[in-house]
């Protein structure tokens, strides 16, 4: 296109062509494009919006303890600020914290990790993301069960891998059986993710069940990611077992993930950690070096205090959670059309609404009509379910489940 400027013909590229090229250039990464948003965060945001408008919302959406971080931990954070611990730390965490984590693993989980096998990250979610990005290559298969924690499939997608989901049900006590695992293994299988206690079901694997699963992973040389973030929140007499503690061969194939978020009511402090074979942890270090660097220095100091303390604060919280769990279950028992998976750990009850309708539709309508927020099961791979968190007061549990019962009898 030529423009006539002061008698001279000047060649110009029309603006709209530039613009169109710019628009065409604005494409996002194919893997990121396929990632789903977080329903948990969306429902929580909607519940908060309704509450801000003055509605009396019962929020069963929470994915975090409603307790405050214990004072001694806060104090350690404040002291860290006052002592000037406000600078970069080693990318993988301070030596102090990594030593405390290695000691915790040795003493509590019978896992002989050394500090040089530990990487501290910005929450267990970050640890899991790092591990999956480091281990999974294009087309590699990652096995986990449904119901599953919402972020596993999205992390696998981000790495270019393929999620292979084992659907569990009441017959298998919502756990992966050795038979089901064997059936889903292919030459492309790279990782098995185990999450015990589980979010969203609260189900826990016994030592015997994990022993059988470990034997299969060792036979087929499959890595295991053991997500143990709810380790401390256990209510029945099931002994928490770390799969990596079941022998040298499975230890060498496992990356164990944990953190301080749930056990110490420290979700906002963002400290999680992973431990595994040195060669893998070296790559995770490299990945973290070039992405986030170290997790917050102040939070790391607070996490050291948390891990070195006795278990009094955890025990007090678990006692309250156990009472609330039993209360929520007894309230749910009165709603004939709704069944649930018995949670032995974590702080959720995963409720089956199959006799009433689709979980996503019911969750949306219950929030709009009776102002009860629960997380629809489709985001956990179980569309007829809704997850109710009992990280709220006894009074709200009674009120909320009463509303659920009334809604169900009116709509079924
Ligand atoms: C199963 C599971 N794993 C990992 C996490 C991540 O915890 P955080 O990043 O707060 O340490 C969560 C949080 O909800 C979870 O439910």
């Amino acid at each position: 296109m030529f423009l006539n400027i002061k008698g001279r013909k000047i060649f110009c590229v029309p603006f709209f062509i530039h613009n169109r090229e710019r628009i065409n250039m604005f494409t996002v990464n194919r893997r990121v494009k396929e990632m789903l948003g977080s329903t948990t965060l969306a429902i929580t945001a909607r519940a908060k919006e309704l509450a801000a408008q003055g509605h009396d919302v019962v929020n069963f959406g929470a994915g975090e303890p409603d307790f405050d971080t214990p004072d001694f931990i806060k104090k350690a954070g404040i002291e860290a600020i006052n002592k000037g611990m406000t600078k970069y730390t080693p990318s993988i965490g301070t030596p102090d914290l990594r030593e405390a984590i290695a000691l915790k693993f040795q003493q509590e989980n019978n896992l002989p990790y050394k500090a040089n096998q530990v990487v501290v990250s910005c929450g267990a979610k970050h640890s899991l993301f790092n591990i999956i990005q480091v281990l999974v290559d294009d087309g590699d298969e990652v096995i986990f069960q449904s119901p599953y924690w919402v972020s596993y499939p999205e992390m696998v997608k981000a790495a270019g891998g393929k999620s292979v989901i084992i659907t569990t049900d009441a017959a298998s006590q919502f756990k992966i059986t050795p038979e089901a695992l064997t059936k889903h293994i292919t030459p492309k299988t790279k990782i098995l993710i185990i999450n015990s206690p589980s979010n969203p079901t609260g189900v826990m694997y016994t030592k015997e069940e994990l022993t059988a699963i470990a034997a299969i992973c060792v036979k087929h040389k499959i890595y295991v990611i053991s997500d143990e973030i709810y380790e401390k929140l256990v209510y029945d007499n099931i002994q928490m077992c770390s799969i990596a503690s079941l022998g040298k061969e499975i230890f060498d194939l496992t990356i164990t993930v944990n953190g301080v978020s749930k056990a110490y009511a420290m979700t906002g402090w963002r400290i999680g950690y992973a431990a595994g074979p040195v060669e893998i942890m070296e790559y995770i270090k490299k990945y973290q070096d070039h992405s986030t660097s170290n997790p917050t220095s102040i939070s790391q100091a607070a996490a050291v205090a948390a891990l070195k303390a006795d278990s009094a604060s955890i025990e007090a919280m678990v006692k309250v959670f156990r009472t609330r769990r039993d209360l929520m279950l007894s309230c749910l028992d009165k709603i004939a059309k709704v069944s649930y998976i018995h949670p032995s750990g974590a702080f959720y009850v995963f409720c089956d609404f199959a006799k009433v309708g689709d979980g996503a539709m019911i969750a949306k309508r219950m929030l709009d009509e009776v102002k009860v927020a629960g997380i629809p099961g489709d985001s956990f791979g179980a569309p007829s379910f809704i997850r109710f968190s009992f990280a709220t007061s006894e009074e709200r549990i009674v009120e909320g489940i009463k509303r659920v019962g009334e809604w169900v009898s009116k709509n079924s």
Side-chain angles (χ1 to χ4, degrees):
M1 173 180 183
F2 287 89
L3 288 183
N4 195 334
I5 299 173
K6 292 187 179 170
R8 290 171 62 195
K9 277 190 172 176
I10 296 176
F11 180 73
C12 298
V13 178
F15 168 74
F16 66 86
I17 293 180
H18 271 303
N19 214 26
R20 197 168 45 203
E21 279 170 357
R22 281 176 58 79
I23 287 166
N24 287 344
M25 273 160 51
F26 184 71
T27 53
V28 296
N29 176 285
R30 157 178 60 85
R31 292 169 181 169
V32 177
K33 206 168 172 183
E34 282 169 14
M35 286 170 82
L36 302 176
S38 163
T39 335
T40 319
L41 299 182
I43 290 272
T44 312
R46 173 86 182 120
K48 280 189 181 150
E49 191 183 296
L50 287 169
Q53 288 166 10
H55 294 285
D56 172 27
V57 177
V58 178
N59 193 351
F60 290 148
E64 59 186 344
D66 53 325
F67 299 93
D68 200 3
T69 303
D71 278 344
F72 73 93
I73 299 175
K74 288 195 213 169
K75 210 168 134 222
I78 293 163
E79 271 170 19
I81 295 176
N82 289 336
K83 281 189 202 152
M85 294 164 76
T86 53
K87 303 285 197 284
Y88 291 135
T89 75
S91 145
I92 53 175
T94 59
D96 257 13
L97 180 52
R98 290 164 63 224
E99 288 289 350
I101 291 165
L103 198 65
K104 175 250 181 285
F105 276 136
Q106 290 160 22
Q107 290 179 341
E108 296 181 2
N109 306 93
N110 197 21
L111 296 172
Y113 290 122
K114 306 259 174 9
N116 71 344
Q117 294 179 272
V118 175
V119 171
V120 185
S121 300
C122 313
K125 184 182 269 188
H126 185 211
S127 304
L128 289 160
F129 187 82
N130 283 348
I131 298 163
I132 291 173
Q133 305 319 301
V134 162
L135 286 182
V136 175
D137 222 328
D138 278 340
D140 284 346
E141 294 179 1
V142 180
I143 299 181
F144 51 90
Q145 70 174 74
S146 76
Y148 48 74
W149 181 48
V150 289
S151 292
Y152 298 145
E154 307 314 313
M155 291 178 180
V156 173
K157 259 184 224 169
K162 182 179 164 207
S163 293
V164 173
I165 295 164
I166 301 180
T167 307
T168 64
D169 54 21
S172 62
Q173 296 174 299
F174 295 94
K175 299 181 209 182
I176 295 174
T177 61
E179 298 72 36
L181 177 57
T182 306
K183 242 186 3 211
H184 286 77
I185 292 172
T186 76
K188 290 189 168 171
T189 304
K190 185 82 175 267
I191 300 175
L192 168 71
I193 304 178
I194 291 286
N195 172 214
S196 173
S198 144
N199 174 8
T201 64
V203 160
M204 290 178 71
Y205 283 81
T206 63
K207 184 176 177 184
E208 292 67 35
E209 288 160 348
L210 290 176
T211 304
I213 288 173
I216 298 169
C217 294
V218 167
K219 181 174 163 201
H220 294 272
K221 302 254 174 305
I222 298 168
Y223 288 117
V224 176
I225 299 176
S226 183
D227 180 351
E228 303 180 3
I229 191 73
Y230 292 98
E231 172 200 18
K232 299 286 184 190
L233 306 180
V234 172
Y235 314 113
D236 297 328
N237 279 334
I238 300 174
Q239 189 67 35
M240 168 68 198
C241 176
S242 296
I243 191 167
S245 70
L246 298 172
K248 164 104 178 76
E249 287 172 304
I250 191 67
F251 181 74
D252 288 341
L253 283 171
T254 303
I255 300 107
T256 306
V257 176
N258 210 324
V260 295
S261 288
K262 317 283 178 178
Y264 301 95
M266 290 178 72
T267 46
W269 297 74
R270 309 310 300 133
I271 295 291
Y273 49 86
V278 173
E279 318 80 74
I280 295 176
M281 302 318 287
E282 283 290 327
Y283 281 105
I284 291 173
K285 172 188 181 304
K286 222 193 288 186
Y287 195 74
Q288 186 157 301
D289 280 352
H290 293 293
S291 48
T292 56
S293 287
N294 64 277
T296 312
S297 54
I298 299 145
S299 297
Q300 289 190 63
V304 171
L307 290 173
K308 286 191 171 166
D310 63 27
S311 55
S313 71
I314 298 175
E315 278 162 23
M317 189 165 75
V318 168
K319 198 166 161 224
V320 176
F321 272 143
R322 183 183 289 113
T323 306
R324 291 172 176 179
R325 177 201 64 167
D326 293 345
L327 178 65
M328 188 175 261
L329 298 186
S330 70
C331 293
L332 283 164
D333 285 340
K334 296 185 190 126
I335 312 175
K337 291 206 167 143
V338 176
S339 58
Y340 56 79
I341 302 171
H342 180 88
S344 295
F347 40 70
Y348 312 106
V349 186
F350 207 43
C351 297
D352 191 356
F353 282 76
K355 291 187 183 146
V356 187
D358 169 67
M361 177 277 291
I362 296 168
K364 184 177 179 310
R365 283 192 54 196
M366 281 199 314
L367 182 53
D368 287 341
E369 295 168 26
V370 291
K371 308 290 180 283
V372 174
I375 308 295
D378 53 354
S379 33
F380 305 97
S384 70
F385 283 76
I386 297 177
R387 190 193 75 179
F388 292 139
S389 160
F390 52 85
T392 187
S393 71
E394 291 182 34
E395 177 260 323
R396 297 310 276 167
I397 290 171
V398 171
E399 172 63 23
I401 303 298
K402 180 173 117 282
R403 292 188 203 175
V404 172
E406 287 164 0
W407 189 92
V408 167
S409 40
K410 216 167 107 188
N411 291 282
S412 59

